[in-house]
Amino acid sequence: MKSRAPKTAWIGQSVARLEDPPLVTGRGQFAGDINFTHQLIMRIVRSAYANGRIISIDAAAARALPGVFAVWTADDIADVPPVDFREGSIPALDPYRQPVLAKARVRYVGDPVAAIFAEDPYVAEDAADLVAVEIEELPPLIDAQAAPVDFSPGHSSEAAVIRQGYGDVDAAFRQAAHIVELDLAIGRHSGVPLETRGAIGRYDAARGTLELHGAAKVPHRNQELLARMLRLPPSTVHVHESHVGGGFGVRGEL
């Protein structure tokens, strides 16, 4: 009987990649490749302002367009809590969690304001253009060195210092042979994946299960998060990860 090679035999060695064949042969499945019968297309209406107060959202014309099944604003999903943190609760940042759809104010260009559900993407696009959003534009804060300001009750632009860890960190530093301290400054940047964010959900009323297909990246964490937000037993939420095609961190969160 042959003995297995020790684990250290693999350190520093090239390992055969298992994920490449479907990608290089054109058989990869991304969010846009997954379809179900009678599916609807969602189109998001987004803020054109970096900072502003929502005065009104008139979706009557969009709802009346043939082929549109629903138009949601924050009032229509008031029982859905803010989007939670994938890696667990961070109490100091809980008040700053983003609502699924903007409530009362918008906080960045592209902030989701309304969601259109239609029979095809063209109808959804037309309906989005019919949603009249009135926003009172407020001065954006774009200087990282500017003095902190309150932008809503209990919310400030003061930078938060979050400390997380385990064990006795202070003791570890006291006993360290050397301590290196760096003061770093970097420009704002972001990864730009070829495949944008995308997902497709299917609710099976007969079985009481919710499926989510797409670039989940961390399916178990997102399953827990969705179950918590939607108040569902985790066993009824099934998250299926498709081929990712490059995440680079920007698509890691739900």
Side-chain angles (χ1 to χ4, degrees), residues 49-74:
Y49 302 101
N51 185 21
R53 188 176 293 109
I54 298 176
I55 304 301
S56 65
I57 303 175
D58 185 355
R63 290 190 174 101
L65 189 68
V68 172
F69 284 78
V71 179
W72 289 355
T73 65

Side-chain angles (χ1 to χ4, degrees), residues 72 76-84 97 100 201-203 208-212 221-234 236-239 254:
W72 289 355
D76 297 297
I77 54 172
D79 57 335
V80 178
V83 180
D84 216 339
R97 289 175 298 166
V100 176
R202 178 172 65 169
Y203 180 68
T209 58
L210 172 66
E211 296 179 20
L212 183 71
R221 297 273 189 172
N222 283 332
Q223 178 202 37
E224 296 171 4
L225 190 155
L226 280 169
R228 190 162 61 245
M229 287 182 63
L230 301 178
R231 302 178 185 89
L232 296 173
T236 65
V237 180
H238 301 172
V239 179
L254 190 67

Side-chain angles (χ1 to χ4, degrees), residues 71-190:
V71 179
W72 289 355
T73 65
D75 292 339
D76 297 297
I77 54 172
D79 57 335
V80 178
V83 180
D84 216 339
F85 299 109
R86 185 189 74 192
E87 298 296 340
S89 176
I90 306 176
L93 299 182
D94 278 349
Y96 295 90
R97 289 175 298 166
Q98 179 173 331
V100 176
L101 295 173
K103 298 179 180 179
R105 65 185 301 133
V106 293
R107 301 184 295 179
Y108 58 91
V109 173
D111 202 350
V113 174
I116 312 286
F117 300 89
E119 62 185 13
D120 66 53
Y122 304 102
V123 172
E125 190 80 17
D126 291 342
D129 291 337
L130 295 176
V131 177
V133 182
E134 182 181 357
I135 295 176
E136 176 191 353
E137 187 176 7
L138 300 174
L141 183 63
I142 57 177
D143 184 359
Q145 305 301 321
V149 297
D150 292 334
F151 58 87
S152 63
H155 296 79
S156 168
S157 61
E158 175 73 45
V161 177
I162 307 299
R163 297 185 181 276
Q164 292 181 291
Y166 58 90
D168 192 338
V169 177
D170 292 332
F173 273 101
R174 285 196 301 269
Q175 298 170 12
H178 302 282
I179 297 176
V180 179
E181 183 175 343
L182 301 176
D183 187 1
L184 306 173
I186 61 172
R188 183 170 180 168
H189 67 284
S190 177

